[in-house]
Every structure is written in structure tokens, then in C-alpha cells.
Amino acid sequence: MSYWSAPLATRPVTASVTLPGSKSITNRALVLAALATGPSTVSGTLRSRDTNLMIDALRTLGIGIEGDGTTVAVTPGPLHGGAVDCGLAGTVMRFLPPVAALANGAVQFDGDEQARTRPLGIILDALRAIGADIDGSSLPFTVSGSGSLRGGDVTIDASGSSQFVSGLLLSAARFIEGVTVHHDGKSVPSMPHVEMTIEMLREAGVRVETPTDSGEANTWRVFPGAIAPVDWIVEPDLSNATAFLAAAAVTAGEVSVPLWPSKTTQPGDAIRGILTDMGAEVSLADSILTVRGPERLRGIDIDLHDVGELTPTVAALAALADSPSHLRGIAHLRGHETDRLAALSNEINRLGGRVTETADGLDIDPEPLRGGRWHSYADHRMATAGAILGLKVDGIDIEDIGTTAKTLPDFVGMWQQMLENEPARGERSDGATEH
């Protein structure tokens, strides 16, 4: 097993960090482009494991995608059967089964071992209810497409993931009757991602009704019709930016991220308010977001229900703060790449912290931390959380830092460049560390 020795910051971090494109926007744009009436381009495309899996899967189904860099040309074609590798990408395993239902032929889905425990039955059962032929309720499963899908009304419990809603909406304009999705259950988490889906559908000329439009709570309707070609421009990934901004917060340093959008549906934008509440100075001017860290970081009491993907970053900040934190509204994280609540409590406590799992979150009482091994659980955001802690705690060795390639292929290089004036320690494949 390979361990990466997280660099210790010996002085306040000062850097400007340019982030690649958003995974969430990239994969939505690729699906919409694949189902459009003509060719599209996607500029600023993130090239990472998750997005490459999406590109490979769409090619497997008959879509022409040209370009190996950040600009790709997408040419729709007749959809046919094939084998799709989902890896550990929720956007692939939840966005592509509806696309596969529109193919002529059988599409087999499988992925990483860890992916076989991720919840999928809700979206697969929903597709069955609107006419799809699907064998299986978790990975591996097979969608036998007939070239079209009836669509219509369907009721689901999307309290486990907003991707169940987005996955049904993205392809629905191509269904004979479109789709009307009714949510019945606890509140849908990560609603900014649903709003992102709706905004992008509308940009592609698709008619969408939301609860605000119809007055019917927890109901979304996509009308059947054409999906127009769009030359998509992908924003920087704001969730990936949060680890770098956290570096400023925990070291009393200053980190800037250029090309930060003034208006966005990305949940990562919420980091601005979170860091402000924890004592940092945050400013956005001329599309540059700058965070200046405080001398002492204070704890926070916050509901992260809508921005759950930020929890690992916030938990790392909270573990280094000078007062307790209470992170709430995030029970759904137990079904992410790993059980993130258990993973965060286990790993922070392993280093001497005091974290308690609650029914829907984490209580974090800061304690002096010590070095040790930090397990990533094949979860990219667990790995980056360990790197944040490593800035202040000497001797943290992170298992499988390469899992960050899921959404940020050169995390290690970018992290070390941010600390280019700092001494960096190396990686050994035998589990030992170099100092």
C-alpha cells in the first residue's frame, strides 16, 4: 500500500491556485451534448477519472467524442449496447442508465468494488416504473434498451441523493412522455445540484417545471422535446477549490482562486460563508476569490444538508479550530463514496481528536492532534481532508492519495506547488515515509 506524507506548512501559505473545470458541470454537459440534435463542444472540460469514465461510457454507447484536452467535440449518434465501467462515479452510475434505456441493445453496468454498495435501487426502480427493462438493483446490472422509453409520472424517495432526481431529469426530454418526478420522503440533499441540472436543461432549450413554477412541492417536470446543441463552457470546480482555500484558513495565510463565478449553482460556493463564519476574511473582486486566514480559527454550528460534499473540508477545519463544531443535516453522506461520517470520525479520532457521530452529522471537539496514518477509503475528499490536517500536524501519512484523481488528477502537484517554498516529503510504495 502506498502512503503519501502530507507536507507540513512551516509558515503561512501564500499562493494563487487555478482550478480545472467542475466535474458536476462537465458530466452533465456531456450527457446533454450526447442527446442533443446536433454537435456540441464542451470547453474547460475536467479531465479526471470520473469525467474520463463518462466520456468512455458515452463512446461505448455510440457517441462521437473527439479531443483529449479540455475542449472536446461531441457528436450524437444512434445509441447501442455495450459495457459501461462506472468506476466509483455516482454521476456515471446514476446519469447513464436513463440514457442506456434509449439505446438499441443491452448495456451492462459495473464498477469498482466499493461502488457495489452505493445506493442505486431508487433510480433503477423509477426507470422500471416508466418502462425500462432492467435486470438488477445494484452494480452490476443490465439495462436492455429498445430505442425509446415511455416516461411519465414516477414517485421516488430522493432523500439519499439528489443524483436520483438529476439522473431522471437529464434524459427526460428524449422520453416519449417526458417525465414528472415526485419526491416523497425527507428533504432532498444537495439541492444546488438539482438546480444546476435544471439550469443546464433550460440552456439546452428544454422546458422544465420546478416546484416554484408549478406550486407543487417536491415535483419536477421535464416536457418531451428536442435537446439543442450548446457550446458549453465549464466553470472551475469550486468544491475542489475548498481544500486550497482551507490551507489559507488553517495557516493564517492567503490563497486566491481566479475565475471564481459571481453567480453559480455549484455547492462549493458556500465555502465563502463557511470560512467567514469560522473567522477568515473572504473577498471576491474581479473574479478572484481571496481567503485570508485568522490567527485562531473558530468552530462552527452549521447545517450542511445542501452542500454535503464540503463536509470533509469543514470537518478538517473544525478539528483544527479553537472551539467545538456541530455539523448537521448530513446523514445522507453515509451513502457516498464511503460512509463519510464514520470515516471522518474514525480518522480524526485515530490522530487524537474527539469526534462523535450523531444521527445526522458530527460533533467535533478540538484536541491536539498527532501524526499517523490517514485512511482514504478510496474517497477523494477524505484524502484531501487529510492533506489539510497535514499542514498543521506533522507526520500524517495518507493512504492512496491517488484517489484524488477521481476529480482532481494533479492534486499532489498542485498542493506541493502551493507550498513550493516549503519542504516537501516524498512517497514510498512500501508504506514507509521519507522526511
Side-chain angles (χ1 to χ4, degrees):
M1 177 60 68
S2 176
Y3 287 84
W4 177 68
S5 297
L8 182 73
T10 60
R11 61 179 69 90
V13 172
T14 302
S16 176
V17 180
T18 300
L19 273 296
S22 160
K23 176 207 74 175
S24 298
I25 296 176
T26 294
N27 276 355
R28 283 165 172 79
L30 289 167
V31 171
L32 290 172
L35 297 175
T37 56
S40 302
T41 60
V42 184
S43 302
T45 303
L46 172 68
R47 300 311 295 256
S48 70
R49 186 179 185 221
D50 275 19
T51 57
N52 287 337
L53 285 166
M54 180 65 83
I55 288 170
D56 289 346
L58 290 171
R59 284 173 172 160
T60 293
L61 298 182
I63 304 302
I65 302 180
E66 301 295 331
D68 295 325
T70 58
T71 298
V72 298
V74 182
T75 304
L79 295 167
H80 54 68
V84 169
D85 178 7
C86 300
L88 197 53
T91 51
V92 177
M93 65 184 76
R94 291 167 179 157
F95 291 0
L96 285 191
V99 178
L102 297 170
N104 277 298
V107 182
Q108 295 88 31
F109 287 81
D110 204 351
D112 293 358
E113 182 179 351
Q114 298 93 331
R116 296 183 177 186
T117 63
R118 296 197 71 176
L120 286 175
I122 288 171
I123 192 165
L124 298 182
D125 287 344
L127 288 169
R128 289 187 185 99
I130 58 174
D133 180 0
I134 302 174
D135 181 18
S137 294
S138 61
L139 289 171
F141 63 88
T142 299
V143 179
S144 296
S146 61
S148 65
L149 189 64
R150 183 186 75 248
D153 282 35
V154 65
T155 298
I156 64 172
D157 179 356
S159 59
S161 175
S162 67
Q163 289 178 351
F164 298 139
V165 176
S166 288
L168 290 167
L169 300 184
L170 277 170
S171 300
R174 290 281 303 272
F175 302 165
I176 295 168
E177 300 176 14
V179 79
T180 301
V181 178
H182 306 278
H183 162 64
D184 183 12
K186 296 179 181 178
S187 59
V188 179
S190 304
M191 275 301 296
H193 278 127
V194 176
E195 293 162 7
M196 177 187 293
T197 298
I198 292 165
E199 182 178 282
M200 294 181 70
L201 281 165
R202 287 175 170 163
E203 190 170 348
V206 176
R207 183 183 171 194
V208 185
E209 277 189 0
T210 69
T212 301
D213 303 320
S214 64
E216 188 176 358
N218 295 319
T219 297
W220 298 266
R221 184 178 183 189
V222 173
F223 291 79
I227 299 174
V230 175
D231 290 332
W232 299 99
I233 299 176
V234 179
E235 298 171 359
D237 194 311
L238 307 189
S239 293
N240 277 336
T242 62
F244 298 90
L245 298 173
V250 302
T251 66
E254 180 176 317
V255 171
S256 296
V257 176
L259 303 177
W260 197 279
S262 59
K263 181 182 178 183
T264 181
T265 54
Q266 289 193 65
D269 191 48
I271 195 65
R272 294 194 285 160
I274 293 169
L275 290 174
T276 299
D277 289 345
M278 298 187 80
E281 179 184 339
V282 181
S283 62
L284 176 60
D286 299 324
S287 299
I288 300 173
L289 183 74
T290 301
V291 171
R292 298 176 182 87
E295 289 302 317
R296 296 175 67 85
L297 199 64
R298 57 178 176 257
I300 191 170
D301 185 346
I302 188 170
D303 187 331
L304 293 170
H305 183 264
D306 283 348
V307 293
E309 65 194 58
L310 304 189
T311 299
T313 294
V314 178
L317 289 165
L320 297 172
D322 66 359
S323 57
S325 293
H326 307 284
L327 314 185
R328 299 175 281 106
I330 44 177
H332 61 282
L333 296 189
R334 294 188 168 99
H336 275 222
E337 281 83 342
T338 186
D339 179 342
R340 282 182 174 164
L341 301 187
L344 286 164
S345 59
N346 288 342
E347 296 311 303
I348 295 173
N349 290 342
R350 192 194 309 277
L351 302 182
R354 186 148 56 103
V355 181
T356 304
E357 273 194 68
T358 66
D360 74 337
L362 299 171
D363 288 340
I364 302 175
D365 293 304
E367 295 283 354
L369 300 180
R370 58 180 179 268
R373 288 185 172 175
W374 177 273
H375 297 96
S376 68
Y377 303 82
D379 185 334
H380 57 135
R381 300 207 192 280
M382 282 298 299
T384 56
I388 294 167
L389 293 174
L391 293 171
K392 295 292 289 182
V393 181
D394 195 15
I396 292 182
D397 299 315
I398 300 174
E399 171 202 41
D400 188 19
I401 193 66
T403 194
T404 53
K406 175 179 170 65
T407 59
L408 192 57
D410 191 30
F411 172 76
V412 168
M414 293 177 66
W415 198 253
Q416 291 180 328
Q417 184 176 4
M418 179 182 70
L419 299 167
E420 60 185 352
N421 296 321
E422 302 286 344
R425 294 174 293 157
E427 180 178 11
R428 297 237 324 243
S429 60
D430 59 3
T433 56
E434 296 174 346
H435 297 270

